[in-house]
Amino acid sequence: MTMLDDRTTAETTWPTAYPQGYAVVDVETTGLARDDRIVSAAVYRLDARGNVEDHWYTLVNPQRDPGPVWIHGLTSEVLADAPLFADIAEEFADRLADRVLVAHNAIFDWQMIAREYARADSQAPVRQRLCTIALSKELDLPLPNHKLESLAAHFGVVQQRAHHALDDARVLAEAFRPSLHAAARDNVRLPLLECRPLTEWSDAPATPRIGYQPSYRSVSWRPSRKRPPCPYPNPGRFEEGRPLKQGMRIAFSGDTSVERELLEDRAIEAGLHIATSVSRLTSLLVTNDPDAATSKTVKAKAYGTPIVDEAAFTQLLRDVAPAD
């Protein structure tokens, strides 16, 4: 499939409820945890119909080890003279203001941005976000997986520098426009979610993680939010070899390499229910240490509740079956 024909999109009756502007964002980071930092950021501003208005890119000095250089290519030497996030926060905010934040796996980009603003004693001017993974599911696009490169290939967009924030943002902007027009043409509800700022933070040391390189200044944040109830009924337990299904009750136990709140948000966006304890109704327990004698693992084994590790759960999240 290629880009939508302009004549077709010109005839589309545009839904009045759609947003009036978008900020397509990509950030590269030192890692995935709560105390990791942004090392580069890019924003493509789009109008109501997805046309590019302008773009912006910056490096950011993370004040710590840059993390996976083999992924983003940004070394300590390259970042040494880059501005601190506090130095670019105002300009970044100007790019985001009064727009819906669009990103591929948007909860991750939003969480990283929100934490950087929390460190700078400020808040990002973002009220809603749109995940292009969720949108591709709403459109039922025939993608082999939910990677950005697959979405780009579907719309004939050529990637030039994968994991470079500016090129990833460009690719996403070019793939988002035909997605937006397809949604408008078919009157598809856009999967908009609220962005709640992180309003509380402290300098308390974070718990060290095995195999994780801590930042120079360990900090922790607590999001100010209340999760909505899951709208789907519980379909029962997870069965190995079959996908997760919307409404399943998922419990977590122990430490995770990806921040717990991020994993929970991903699960909620996929239509799963987050359980704070394990009962006979729990569909699945996610833990990286199934032999630990925690109350959740002990109960899960007693009830016969399936247990998977974080890596397996992340894979399962890529293809959650719709509720019956």
Side-chain angles (χ1 to χ4, degrees):
M1 181 175 179
T2 58
M3 301 284 281
L4 294 177
D5 190 298
D6 286 340
R7 292 170 298 177
T8 301
T9 58
E11 297 170 358
T12 299
T13 300
W14 208 258
T16 57
Y18 277 21
Q20 294 304 301
Y22 305 88
V24 178
V25 173
D26 185 77
V27 296
E28 296 299 319
T29 67
T30 61
L32 303 175
R34 68 171 65 227
D35 55 346
D36 276 299
R37 306 296 301 271
I38 290 175
V39 295
S40 65
V43 181
Y44 267 74
R45 290 196 291 190
L46 312 181
D47 67 14
R49 296 192 174 224
N51 300 307
V52 175
E53 295 178 334
D54 58 29
H55 64 268
W56 172 81
Y57 171 75
T58 184
L59 296 176
V60 181
N61 185 336
Q63 298 180 286
R64 55 153 291 174
D65 184 276
V69 174
W70 59 92
I71 295 178
H72 54 59
L74 300 174
T75 64
S76 296
E77 291 75 19
V78 170
L79 297 171
D81 296 326
L84 303 181
F85 187 86
D87 298 328
I88 59 94
E90 183 175 355
E91 186 173 6
F92 197 2
D94 289 342
R95 301 279 169 172
L96 301 175
D98 302 320
R99 296 171 185 268
V100 171
L101 184 150
V102 177
H104 203 65
N105 190 18
I107 181 60
F108 173 76
D109 294 80
W110 163 244
Q111 291 270 7
M112 297 303 297
I113 291 168
R115 289 192 200 100
E116 291 288 8
Y117 275 96
R119 290 186 183 94
D121 295 323
S122 184
Q123 294 181 11
V126 178
R127 297 296 172 261
Q128 289 183 307
R129 66 180 183 270
L130 188 158
C131 179
T132 47
I133 295 176
L135 180 58
S136 68
K137 291 182 178 180
E138 291 284 348
L139 296 174
D140 197 24
L141 300 182
L143 305 178
N145 52 55
H146 295 297
K147 295 180 180 180
L148 177 58
E149 62 187 43
S150 297
L151 182 65
H154 177 75
F155 287 114
V157 180
V158 178
Q159 281 188 300
Q160 298 172 352
R161 298 180 64 185
H163 299 297
H164 184 284
L166 183 60
D167 195 59
D168 280 354
R170 174 193 62 81
V171 168
L172 189 57
E174 291 185 18
F176 175 63
R177 180 178 180 274
S179 298
L180 180 63
H181 280 257
R185 181 193 63 214
D186 298 335
N187 200 28
V188 172
R189 178 191 64 85
L190 295 181
L192 300 175
L193 292 175
E194 182 181 4
C195 287
R196 298 193 179 185
L198 304 183
T199 57
E200 301 178 29
W201 65 288
S202 71
D203 291 323
T207 302
R209 296 188 176 99
I210 297 174
Y212 171 73
Q213 182 178 28
S215 64
Y216 296 141
R217 178 176 177 234
S218 293
V219 293
S220 61
W221 290 264
R222 180 159 60 88
S224 176
R225 60 183 175 177
K226 182 178 180 181
R227 298 189 186 281
C230 181
Y232 308 109
N234 184 359
R237 288 182 173 174
F238 166 74
E239 297 180 23
E240 186 176 357
R242 303 187 67 178
L244 293 170
K245 182 175 288 188
Q246 288 180 326
M248 282 187 170
R249 299 175 65 91
I250 310 298
F252 293 88
S253 178
D255 196 22
T256 53
S257 60
V258 174
E259 167 193 355
R260 176 73 66 82
E261 289 87 351
L262 176 57
L263 285 175
E264 290 180 351
D265 279 339
R266 288 177 178 173
I268 289 171
E269 288 189 2
L272 302 173
H273 174 93
I274 299 301
T276 57
S277 61
V278 172
S279 71
R280 297 183 187 278
L281 298 177
T282 304
S283 305
L284 181 69
L285 175 65
V286 180
T287 178
N288 288 327
D289 191 2
D291 296 324
T294 66
S295 61
K296 290 181 181 178
T297 55
V298 170
K299 287 182 179 179
K301 291 177 181 179
Y303 296 145
T305 303
I307 300 174
V308 300
D309 63 18
E310 178 186 355
F313 180 68
T314 301
Q315 291 292 325
L316 289 167
L317 274 181
R318 296 180 177 181
D319 188 20
V320 176
D324 294 331

